[in-house]
Amino acid sequence: MIPAEIKAKLQSIVGAENYDDSKAGRLVYSFDATPQFQSLPDAVIAPRNTAEVSKVVKICNEQQIPLVPRGSGTNLCAGTCPTEGGIVLLFKHLNAILEIDEENLTATVQPGVVTLDLIHAVEEKGLFYPPDPSSMKISTIGGNINENSGGLRGLKYGVTRDYVMGLEVVLANGDIIQTGGKLAKDVAGYDLTRLFVGSEGTLGIVTKAILKLIPVPEDKMTMLALYQDLEAAAKSVSKIIANKIIPTTLEFLDQPTLKVVEDFAQIGLPTDVKAVLLIEQDGPTDVVQRDMIKMAAICEEEKAVSVKVAESEAEADGLRTARRSALSALARLKPTTILEDATVPRSEIAKMVLATNEIAEKYGLTICTFGHAGDGNLHPTCLTDVRNHEEVERVEKAFEEIFVKAIELGGTITGEHGVGVMKAPYLELKAGKEGIAAMKAIKHSLDPNNIMNPGKMFAKDSRKRVVVSR
């Protein structure tokens, strides 16, 4: 627990009402959306402004008290689980959209702003913030920045990193720095903005962000292509891109996922096919119509058994909502749902899906696969029960083989969920010993006392001694 004299100092900074060390209060923030990880913090603090964050950080650095910045806790890598105790920082008071600048096409926001609230606010002004993680109804911008969140629109528009122009960050010693700004060009020194995006709160605490906006697209159309052959679906993805068409959304769902999602959403999704591609394009009306015709023809050439364009925005929104609900739908089936995100070049999607199915069969597991086919980001999802220790051991072995296969196919262990604690033992597979050493050097330079979200990103002991053939 936090010593009484330190507790008093912290309460004097944020107010007693914003300091909670009760058992109930600590329990709420002892876990995130990641199965099998839980650890009580010593206290939960909700600063009211950047100055208070800085003062809290200075005290924690002096006392070497761990700090875990937390948004809504929707992350899936145990990135906000306080595994080493300390203080969880909440941003419920720093939740304002400070400015929407229509001249510079930027939004300046605090970290506690909910993603969908920002999207709605800028759309009211005819502007568009593309990053759209499936958890956007509750996830916060600060959390999205820490994890470099992706989403369904990532193929065409990129991920959170591509829309962060500047940051206000509190460093581990309490210093406040500003990076970037409302600038189309800026090469003054190291690109610190990109360094902090995706650093999972291990290098500093984001207290403000300047985000890039773009004009809202003129038109949008959505299409569903059905396949009885996984490889044919994967070939369609590659061929669409090879024909120089970049759709807004190009999503993949396998048959087990389709069945569960349809049972959950009840919108008439077909469940008698092996795979579905959900394809969406936006932009000028003539371009959208042209691209949809071309993509439909490509899908039919690649043996799609059916290609259907949504007849209304309501129907299209139903399809998008069904895809976003995949995790929720799967989570209804078993007590524990483990969602991963191995990523491969899109030309290797079919091999990755087939390998995942073979690995699931090898270990006697149920693994459903869906994801962002357009950028090769697949989400193999295992339905299990954490109380069944023998089965969970098989799950861990299966996912290790899935990560190894992804690396062998030229991919990575995570495309958008982050490393956190869950993926830390596998990071060396991707980065190598030299890469890990370089990352640790950056971490030690900015956070020598290791108070910033300690225990994340780097495994205490790299237990995954796997040789990967490339």
Side-chain angles (χ1 to χ4, degrees):
M1 297 298 291
I2 306 297
E5 65 274 16
I6 303 303
K7 173 179 175 178
K9 286 183 180 180
L10 293 170
Q11 286 182 323
S12 71
I13 295 168
V14 301
E17 71 278 10
N18 291 311
Y19 183 102
D20 188 355
D21 58 3
S22 68
K23 181 69 177 289
R26 292 185 297 131
L27 185 63
V28 171
Y29 299 103
S30 64
F31 57 91
D32 52 31
T34 318
Q36 304 184 75
F37 289 92
Q38 185 172 19
S39 181
L40 283 171
D42 295 307
V44 179
I45 293 180
R48 293 167 291 193
N49 51 55
T50 300
E52 290 185 357
V53 174
S54 174
K55 291 174 183 177
V56 168
V57 170
K58 284 179 181 177
I59 290 175
C60 289
N61 194 44
E62 290 168 0
Q63 301 296 321
Q64 298 193 21
I65 298 171
L67 279 166
V68 181
R70 178 187 172 104
S72 298
T74 58
N75 70 93
L76 294 159
C77 64
T80 53
C81 180
T83 51
E84 299 193 16
I87 290 171
V88 168
L89 280 182
L90 301 183
F91 297 93
K92 63 182 182 180
H93 298 306
L94 282 80
N95 63 348
I97 299 174
L98 301 173
E99 178 191 49
I100 297 175
D101 185 339
E102 296 180 68
E103 291 185 357
N104 290 302
L105 294 183
T106 63
T108 302
V109 306
Q110 293 179 315
V113 171
V114 172
T115 313
L116 190 59
D117 290 347
L118 173 64
I119 289 172
H120 286 160
V122 301
E123 284 182 352
E124 287 178 5
K125 296 182 178 293
L127 298 173
F128 186 37
Y129 179 69
D132 61 334
S134 293
S135 58
M136 64 183 181
K137 288 183 179 179
I138 55 173
S139 69
T140 63
I141 295 297
N144 293 351
I145 290 171
N146 277 349
E147 299 297 334
N148 189 23
S149 300
L152 274 65
R153 298 192 284 244
L155 170 61
K156 182 173 185 176
Y157 290 108
V159 295
T160 299
R161 173 186 59 224
D162 301 303
Y163 295 87
V164 180
M165 300 177 68
L167 294 171
E168 178 182 81
V169 180
V170 178
L171 300 179
N173 62 0
D175 285 353
I176 302 168
I177 65 169
Q178 311 288 334
T179 76
K182 298 179 182 181
L183 304 165
K185 295 179 179 179
D186 182 4
V187 292
Y190 295 138
D191 190 345
L192 294 179
T193 303
R194 287 210 164 200
L195 175 64
F196 286 107
V197 176
S199 64
E200 303 184 23
T202 63
L203 302 179
I205 297 168
V206 174
T207 52
K208 186 166 65 177
I210 300 172
L211 305 174
K212 180 173 73 173
L213 306 176
I214 61 176
V216 70
E218 178 185 314
D219 200 1
K220 182 167 56 180
M221 293 179 71
T222 305
M223 178 170 67
L224 206 61
L226 315 181
Y227 296 83
Q228 292 295 0
D229 183 341
L230 286 174
E231 192 168 354
K235 284 183 178 178
S236 296
V237 172
S238 299
K239 195 168 181 179
I240 287 169
I241 306 300
N243 275 267
K244 300 179 178 61
I245 303 171
I246 306 297
T248 309
T249 295
L250 187 42
E251 296 290 300
F252 167 87
L253 294 90
D254 69 1
Q255 188 174 42
T257 308
L258 274 172
K259 290 180 177 178
V260 176
V261 169
E262 172 56 21
D263 182 59
F264 177 75
Q266 296 289 314
I267 63 167
L269 283 173
T271 58
D272 59 344
V273 293
K274 299 296 182 185
V276 159
L277 292 181
L278 172 62
I279 307 171
E280 187 168 90
Q281 183 60 298
D282 65 11
T285 300
D286 59 335
V287 173
V288 172
Q289 292 176 345
R290 181 197 67 197
D291 285 352
M292 293 300 278
I293 291 169
K294 286 184 179 179
M295 289 189 289
I298 288 170
C299 292
E300 288 168 353
E301 287 170 10
E302 293 301 327
K303 303 176 185 176
V305 297
S306 171
V307 180
K308 183 178 182 295
V309 176
E311 295 180 359
S312 65
E313 174 55 25
E315 183 181 353
D317 189 58
L319 293 172
R320 289 191 294 269
T321 301
R323 162 59 187 88
R324 293 186 197 281
S325 70
L327 175 57
S328 300
L330 291 167
R332 302 163 67 221
L333 301 186
K334 288 284 190 75
T336 308
T337 305
I338 301 177
L339 172 68
E340 281 298 353
D341 74 321
T343 303
V344 296
R346 53 181 154 258
S347 58
E348 305 291 351
I349 287 173
K351 290 180 184 176
M352 191 68 231
V353 173
L354 291 172
T356 299
N357 292 343
E358 290 170 0
I359 291 168
E361 186 175 347
K362 173 182 174 180
Y363 288 99
L365 301 170
T366 300
I367 298 182
C368 301
T369 303
F370 60 94
H372 317 302
D375 51 29
N377 186 198
L378 296 174
H379 295 311
T381 304
C382 187
L383 310 176
T384 183
D385 187 340
V386 72
R387 295 166 296 186
N388 186 337
H389 300 296
E390 185 275 330
E391 183 173 82
V392 169
E393 285 182 9
R394 284 187 278 124
V395 171
E396 290 177 352
K397 290 177 181 177
F399 275 123
E400 181 173 338
E401 289 194 21
I402 287 171
F403 298 145
V404 169
K405 186 64 179 179
I407 297 291
E408 288 178 350
L409 292 173
T412 184
I413 61 170
T414 176
E416 60 185 6
H417 290 175
V419 176
V421 183
M422 195 170 193
K423 294 281 185 70
Y426 307 101
L427 184 58
E428 192 175 309
L429 289 176
K430 173 61 179 174
K433 290 182 179 179
E434 296 80 5
I436 295 286
M439 292 182 199
K440 285 184 174 179
I442 294 170
K443 165 71 170 172
H444 182 72
S445 176
L446 290 174
D447 181 20
N449 290 325
N450 192 28
I451 65 162
M452 291 292 182
N453 209 4
K456 313 298 163 58
M457 197 80 72
F458 309 114
K460 287 187 172 64
D461 189 20
S462 185
R463 59 186 174 84
K464 304 299 176 185
R465 307 292 183 186
V466 184
V467 177
V468 179
S469 59
R470 298 178 188 269

